[in-house]
């Protein structure tokens, strides 16, 4: 497939490939190709940073410059690509990507903002399966990882065979019919607000596009849907390139707000509420926020809503606390449908005139039982709202089911219909109360939701329904008496769900339809009809921590892999069931469940690769199914008096009754609460930051408020909005700096700034919480940490996002601090850095940073627990002289180098961590590496997995020769241990 005009470029790619293979040992290589500084390649040809952000290169034809190129001249996919979904039939072979089954592959090198172009060679094979040649390839710009969620103004094209049945004129927009077994050179280009697709130099179609503003969907995606899987008949992708146009920008537009927009970014919903329809008023408050988002504050009181509240990007909706702000639903109206006449974006529904009187303008409705699936990109039968009522005619905005006009005469006596689309029979007044779809960084907190009668929502219309949402937060929300599920999260990445309470719903919490890095902690779910927490489908790399639930259900069913369940309590006598997981498994550690059942009651149902360790359970048993490659160790009865073992010791499993001797007293699961959680008690006095806001000042005027609080302490409450700072906010001792959530955003006022935005030096009793620091996602690391603490005592960082910062996210040196519920996403430097301090770091996420978490010379008994580190350009967790540190129940996946690396570290405990698919850089990484003078460390109950078709984590543990005296026992390994140390104890590990 190599073209003659690509020969010189191929030569340079091979030079790059050799440099990449050198990996971490190359002095010009920094943490994977995402931050590669390949001096040799730059000098040879392009003189360009091979990264988006600061990409400067030789101008090519028409001023376009090359940003990234890959000819796949290597044995594995490498650090710049991910495939995390599908049937697992993808390979790099013969210097190209070969795909023979349904799968999704995406390039993790961000596309330039604005003008961008990708080029590639493609070949689609002829296939025959039961006489059907059907297969489909979808190519996307502005896409993202499967399950990542986010905005979806994508530019995509679908390729199908010319022989596909049907009239090509009826193909969906963007569909191209092409010949099979014929190579194509394909170009997808965005320029001057238009997307263009070319095949072999010929323009095929053009589409108008709005500007790209998504933080999470900035990538190229190659998606195969329905390849038949015949060996030797594979789709092939080769010679991939990303180009930046003359008017492109490497970094994401920050969208700063002006002074007037910032003054409108905190809205009191009481100013908008209409007593006749309070939801309509609340929605107007949300819609009145400026483009950059903000905060809507709901008043205290009880409100009966006739429609849902829809959130959009960077919006926080908060009440006054559970039991104080109460939203109720009314779901009892319905009407038989006599006919539907659709038009773009709306339809007119005919009902009996007396039935039409049940509906009001602004009501949310659905066709038949409930809204459509929130995890899908389409908007069929959801977010439907009544726009007009006239006689028996109800105008509904939104997309109804089906693709053609409805004719329900077929259901009437003597009627007939030519439509094959199932016809809706009823228009129902049914809706979730808070809803978000195809959105990013939305937040809900501090209120109560109470359901009504008359409908059934399932997970599609749960009380809180988020679908295709990236970076959501839901905190301290109470749900009661909902006819359906309580909190539903369908398709999304990096979600944090904390301190919520759900009762008398069907399933209390429902993550599913592909979630990535889902962090669920300190939640309560009692008295629900089915279960407290239901794992639906394809939940990956998550942590479920410290929940009190009447029943967990569906875990591992199916494709729920690489998750950790720890410190949870089941408050009923029902089983905790570990069901299907087709390879990959997870960690179930130190929970309190009356009974644990392993298997699926189906003879062919596989339950593979779980570590079940350190739990309190009176009964542990197998049921029907292929229960293999699991490790059961150290489980005891609920009273702790006896070991809990499996009576039936099946082959291909491992059993080690006693397990490791661990001090888990500080880590035991127990019922921690039975009532909703109140909002944080902020120290008095509380100063309103809006009154201090001065846009002309380098600190936006906020430092004056902090200085005023310095003598006696108190809280500065920052308003919603986007505030540019050219000098940092310095927080004195005894002071809390609090934002109002994801709608409070701080950013550098000038692109050239190198300093931090929040600084705390030599202070005690300091808290920073509930705010965002936002950069432009440039991969050049030139700034100090966004939040820098030095020599602090009793400091706390809570519910903070640092996103896209061109430096480290959070850095603490000296003192002691607690960090919880925070995220570091897409930063050029390390996510969380702790040095010479005692730190308790629990329940945080680091993704696509340099290293995820770094601990250096930390004080004894520092703790990293229940954190998630994924897709970072170096290590997930890096320890250096971090003596006696504890790493319990952390998740590390898809990092370019090691999952965890410990250097010169003594007496560390690495317990019940999940290490999966690390070493993406194709270097010499592994799950856990012990290097330098690392000794007397204990590694127990860790799970090492790799489910990629070409494994990258080919070694589970590497102990280098300079290390020794370590204890490595009771770990589940899909790869071997490479131990060259001295005097270590390595035993009772299970390699299936």
């Amino acid at each position: 497939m190599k073209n003659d005009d690509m020969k010189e470029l191929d030569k340079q790619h091979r030079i790059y490939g050799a440099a990449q293979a050198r990996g971490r040992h190359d002095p010009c290589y920094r943490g994977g190709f995402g931050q590669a500084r390949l001096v040799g390649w730059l000098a040879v040809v392009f003189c360009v940073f091979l990264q988006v952000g600061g990409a400067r290169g030789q101008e090519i034809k028409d001023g376009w410059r090359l940003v990234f190129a890959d000819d796949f001249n290597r044995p594995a996919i490498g650090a710049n690509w991910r495939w995390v979904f599908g049937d697992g039939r993808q390979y790099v072979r013969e210097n190209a990507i070969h795909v023979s089954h349904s799968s999704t592959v995406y390039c993790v090198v961000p596309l330039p903002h604005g003008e961008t172009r990708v080029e590639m060679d493609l070949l689609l094979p002829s296939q025959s399966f039961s006489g059907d040649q059907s297969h489909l390839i979808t190519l996307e710009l502005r896409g993202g990882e499967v399950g990542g969620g986010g905005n979806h103004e994508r530019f995509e094209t679908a390729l199908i065979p010319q022989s596909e049945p049907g009239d090509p004129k009826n193909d969906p927009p963007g569909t191209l019919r092409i010949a099979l077994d014929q190579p194509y050179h394909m170009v997808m280009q965005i320029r001057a607000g238009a997307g263009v697709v070319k095949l072999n130099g010929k323009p095929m179609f053009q589409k108008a596009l709005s500007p790209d503003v998504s933080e999470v969907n900035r990538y190229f995606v190659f998606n195969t849907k329905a390849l038949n899987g015949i060996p030797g008949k594979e789709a092939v992708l080769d010679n991939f390139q990303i180009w930046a146009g003359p008017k492109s920008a490497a970094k994401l537009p920050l969208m700063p707000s002006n002074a007037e927009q910032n003054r409108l970014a905190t809205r009191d919903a009481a100013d908008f509420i209409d007593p006749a329809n309070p939801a309509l008023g609340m929605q107007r408050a949300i819609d009145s926020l400026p483009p950059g988002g903000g905060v809507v504050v709901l008043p205290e009181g009880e409100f009966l809503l006739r429609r849902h509240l829809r959130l959009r990007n960077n919006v926080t909706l908060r009440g006054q606390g559970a039991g104080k702000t109460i939203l109720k639903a009314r779901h009892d109206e319905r009407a038989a449908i006599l006919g539907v006449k659709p038009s773009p974006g709306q339809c007119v529904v005919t009902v009996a005139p007396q039935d039409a009187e049940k509906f009001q303008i602004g009501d949310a409705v659905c066709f038949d039982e409930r809204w459509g699936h929130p995890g899908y990109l389409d908007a069929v039968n959801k977010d439907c709202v009544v726009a007009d009522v006239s006689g028996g005619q109800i105008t509904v905005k939104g997309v109804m089911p089906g693709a053609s006009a409805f004719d329900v005469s077929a259901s009437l006596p003597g009627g007939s219909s030519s439509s094959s689309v199932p016809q809706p029979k009823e228009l129902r007044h049914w809706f979730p109360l808070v809803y978000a779809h195809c959105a990013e960084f939305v937040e809900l907190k501090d209120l109560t939701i109470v359901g009504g009668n008359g409908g059934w929502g399932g997970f599609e219309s749960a009380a809180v329904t988020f679908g295709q949402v990236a970076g959501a937060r839901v905190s301290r929300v109470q749900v009661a008496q909902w006819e359906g599920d309580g909190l539903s999260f369908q398709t999304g990445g990096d979600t944090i769900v904390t301190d919520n309470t759900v009762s008398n719903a069907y399933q209390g919490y429902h993550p599913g339809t592909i979630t990535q890095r889902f962090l669920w902690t300190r939640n309560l779910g009692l008295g629900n009809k089915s279960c407290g927490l239901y794992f639906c489908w394809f939940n990956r790399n998550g942590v479920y921590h410290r929940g009190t639930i009447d029943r967990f259900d569906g875990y591992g069913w199916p494709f729920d892999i690489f998750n950790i369940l720890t410190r949870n309590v089941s408050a009923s006598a029902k089983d905790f069931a570990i069901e299907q997981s087709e390879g990959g498994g997870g960690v179930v550690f130190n929970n309190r469940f009356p009974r644990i059942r392993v298997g699926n009651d189906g003879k062919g149902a596989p339950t593979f690769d779980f570590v079940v360790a350190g739990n309190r359970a009176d009964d542990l048993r197998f049921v029907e199914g292929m229960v293999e490659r699991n490790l059961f160790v150290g489980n005891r009865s609920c009273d702790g008096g006896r070991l809990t073992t499996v009576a039936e010791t099946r082959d291909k499993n491992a059993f080690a009754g006693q397990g490791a001797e661990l001090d888990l007293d500080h880590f035991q699961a127990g019922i921690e609460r039975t009532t909703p959680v109140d909002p944080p008690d902020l120290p008095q006095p509380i100063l309103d930051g809006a009154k201090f806001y001065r846009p002309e000042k380098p600190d936006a005027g906020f430092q004056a408020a902090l200085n005023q609080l310095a003598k006696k302490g108190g809280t500065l409450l920052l308003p919603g909005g986007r505030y540019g700072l050219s000098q940092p906010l310095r927080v004195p001792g005894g002071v809390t700096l609090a934002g109002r959530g994801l709608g409070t955003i701080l950013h550098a006022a000038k692109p050239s700034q190198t300093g931090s935005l929040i600084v705390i030096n030599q202070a005690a009793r300091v808290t920073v919480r509930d705010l965002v620091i936002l950069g432009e996602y440039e991969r050049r690391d030139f700034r100090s940490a966004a939040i820098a603490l030095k020599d602090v005592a009793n400091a706390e960082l809570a519910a903070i996002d640092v996103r896209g910062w061109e430096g480290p996210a959070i850095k603490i040196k000296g003192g002691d601090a607690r960090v919880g519920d925070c995220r570091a996403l897409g930063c050029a430097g390390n996510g969380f850095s702790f040095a010479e301090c005692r730190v308790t770091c629990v329940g945080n996420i680091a993704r696509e940073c340099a290293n995820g978490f770094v601990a250096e010379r930390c004080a004894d008994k520092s703790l990293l627990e229940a954190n998630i580190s994924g897709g970072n350009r170096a290590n997930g967790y890096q320890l250096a002289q971090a003596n006696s540190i504890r790493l319990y129940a952390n998740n590390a996946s898809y990092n370019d180098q090691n999952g965890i690396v410990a250097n010169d570290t003594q007496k560390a405990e690495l317990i019940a961590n999940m290490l999966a698919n690390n070493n993406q850089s194709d270097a010499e990484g592994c799950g856990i590496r012990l290097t330098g003078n690392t000794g007397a460390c204990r590694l127990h109950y860790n799970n090492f997995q790799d489910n990629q078709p070409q494994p990258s984590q080919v070694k589970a543990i590497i102990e280098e020769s300079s290390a020794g005296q370590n204890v490595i026992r009771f770990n589940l390994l899909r790869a071997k241990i490479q131990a060259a140390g001295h005097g270590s104890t390595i035993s009772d590990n299970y390699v299936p």
Side-chain angles (χ1 to χ4, degrees), residues 428-502:
R428 298 191 178 188
H429 187 214
W430 176 258
F431 53 94
L433 265 180
V434 181
Y435 179 73
H437 185 249
C438 292
E440 301 176 6
F441 305 109
V442 300
E443 183 175 30
L444 177 69
K445 57 186 179 181
D446 297 323
L447 52 79
T448 291
I449 293 175
V450 180
N453 298 317
W456 172 248
F459 68 89
E460 299 95 332
S461 304
V464 177
T465 303
F466 287 177
Q468 291 283 342
V469 175
R473 286 183 182 269
V474 179
S475 302
R476 302 182 297 273
V477 171
Q478 180 188 20
V479 177
Q481 301 173 10
W482 191 265
E483 297 293 323
D485 294 347
L487 306 181
S488 175
F489 306 89
Q490 308 300 315
T491 307
D494 306 306
T495 298
I496 296 184
V497 181
T498 56
D499 297 310
N500 301 287
T501 304
V502 182

Side-chain angles (χ1 to χ4, degrees), residues 524-807:
L524 177 67
L526 297 177
N528 295 291
K529 297 180 180 70
S530 172
C531 62
L533 174 63
Y534 182 74
F535 297 84
C536 185
W537 188 69
F538 226 102
N539 297 287
R540 291 197 162 195
N541 307 107
V543 172
Y544 300 83
H545 174 243
R546 287 179 63 183
T548 301
I549 297 296
D550 42 20
R551 185 189 175 201
F552 292 80
D553 197 12
Y555 182 49
W557 189 92
F559 304 119
D560 293 335
I561 61 173
F562 306 147
N563 298 293
I564 298 173
L565 276 71
T566 183
R567 294 184 67 179
N568 298 291
V569 175
S570 176
S572 77
K574 295 181 179 179
D575 292 347
F576 167 69
I578 304 172
E579 299 185 281
Q580 294 182 53
S581 177
E582 297 187 7
V587 175
V588 181
F589 170 67
N590 196 29
N591 303 280
R592 183 181 292 270
F593 300 139
R595 299 190 301 178
I596 298 177
R597 169 171 58 87
V598 184
N600 192 252
D601 290 328
K603 290 185 178 181
T607 303
F608 295 165
D609 301 320
F610 287 93
V611 172
V612 182
N615 299 287
R616 294 294 181 91
D618 290 329
D619 182 55
L620 175 59
R621 58 194 170 90
F622 290 127
V623 294
E624 190 65 74
M626 295 173 57
V627 181
E628 299 178 356
R629 305 190 322 223
N630 301 290
L631 173 61
F632 303 90
V633 56
N635 301 290
R636 305 192 69 86
S637 59
C638 288
D639 62 8
R642 61 178 176 83
L643 288 173
T644 305
T645 58
V646 184
E648 176 190 358
T649 56
R650 293 195 189 180
D651 293 338
K652 299 183 181 180
N653 291 282
F655 309 90
Q658 182 67 43
E661 294 183 3
L662 299 176
D663 177 13
L664 297 178
D665 289 343
H666 67 289
F667 198 56
Q668 277 296 329
I671 296 177
E672 300 184 27
R673 65 180 176 92
T674 57
T675 58
V677 177
D678 292 329
D681 188 12
L682 299 177
Q684 299 289 329
I686 299 176
L687 302 184
D688 183 358
K691 295 180 180 179
F692 291 82
Y693 175 47
R694 301 291 183 273
E696 71 280 2
K697 289 187 174 294
D699 54 26
F702 299 136
Q703 189 63 51
L706 293 170
N707 295 343
Q708 183 174 320
L709 294 169
K711 290 185 178 181
K712 296 183 179 181
T715 300
L716 171 59
L717 183 59
L718 298 177
R722 295 183 170 222
Y723 301 95
L725 305 178
S726 56
Q727 69 180 37
L729 299 180
R730 298 185 179 274
V731 186
V735 172
T736 292
L737 175 63
R740 293 177 180 262
L742 293 179
T744 298
I745 297 174
L746 307 178
H747 63 89
K750 300 175 182 178
S752 60
Q753 283 178 226
T754 60
S756 303
L757 291 193
I758 297 176
V759 172
I760 305 171
N761 282 334
Q762 297 180 334
R765 298 178 294 104
V766 178
T767 298
V768 180
R769 62 176 307 124
D770 295 297
L771 54 79
V772 176
I773 292 182
L774 183 60
E776 301 232 36
Y777 288 85
E778 184 177 349
R779 292 290 176 88
R780 188 164 57 97
D781 183 354
F782 67 94
R783 289 177 168 160
S784 301
I787 301 176
L789 285 68
K790 185 177 181 181
D791 297 331
V792 295
N794 194 21
E796 182 177 10
L797 304 178
I800 294 169
D801 275 11
V802 181
R803 309 199 305 259
W805 184 253
E806 294 83 1

Side-chain angles (χ1 to χ4, degrees), residues 239-479:
N239 293 327
F240 180 81
Q241 303 167 26
I242 298 175
W243 300 79
K247 296 182 180 180
S248 67
K251 50 194 178 181
L252 187 74
L254 188 63
M255 291 198 316
S257 296
N258 59 38
E260 181 59 25
Q261 289 172 327
N262 280 332
R263 291 189 178 99
L264 296 176
T266 306
R267 308 296 276 180
D268 185 347
D271 297 335
F272 294 80
I273 288 176
D274 176 2
N277 193 337
L280 206 56
M282 293 175 181
Q283 188 63 47
R284 286 174 182 148
I286 296 169
D287 296 342
S288 72
L289 293 171
V295 179
V296 170
V297 180
L298 301 177
E300 190 170 332
E302 187 174 302
F303 304 94
L304 180 63
L305 307 190
R306 297 187 61 87
R307 60 153 291 155
H308 58 291
L309 305 177
R310 179 160 184 167
L311 304 183
R312 57 182 172 87
N313 293 6
N314 300 294
V315 167
T316 292
L317 181 66
R318 56 173 296 184
Q320 303 301 309
K324 295 182 178 179
T325 299
I326 303 172
L327 307 182
K328 290 188 173 182
R330 183 175 178 180
H331 285 148
D332 54 348
E333 297 98 341
R334 61 182 65 192
I337 295 176
L338 304 179
V340 180
K341 182 179 180 181
S343 59
Q346 66 179 35
C347 65
V348 176
V349 181
T350 300
V351 301
Q354 64 270 23
D355 285 339
E357 295 176 358
K358 302 174 183 177
F359 297 89
Q360 303 176 16
I361 294 174
D363 282 358
V365 294
C366 69
F367 294 88
D368 290 334
E369 279 215 347
R370 51 187 180 262
W371 284 18
H373 197 307
Y376 296 162
L377 292 180
D378 65 87
V380 173
N381 195 23
K382 54 180 176 282
D383 204 16
C384 293
V385 178
V386 173
D388 184 65
V389 180
S390 179
Q393 309 291 310
I394 301 175
T395 302
V396 177
K397 287 188 176 181
V399 182
M400 69 297 300
S404 60
F406 291 116
D407 178 6
V408 298
S409 60
S411 62
L412 303 177
S416 65
S417 174
S418 61
S419 173
S420 61
V421 178
Q423 308 304 322
K425 295 179 173 57
E426 285 189 323
L427 185 69
R428 298 191 178 188
H429 187 214
W430 176 258
F431 53 94
L433 265 180
V434 181
Y435 179 73
H437 185 249
C438 292
E440 301 176 6
F441 305 109
V442 300
E443 183 175 30
L444 177 69
K445 57 186 179 181
D446 297 323
L447 52 79
T448 291
I449 293 175
V450 180
N453 298 317
W456 172 248
F459 68 89
E460 299 95 332
S461 304
V464 177
T465 303
F466 287 177
Q468 291 283 342
V469 175
R473 286 183 182 269
V474 179
S475 302
R476 302 182 297 273
V477 171
Q478 180 188 20
V479 177

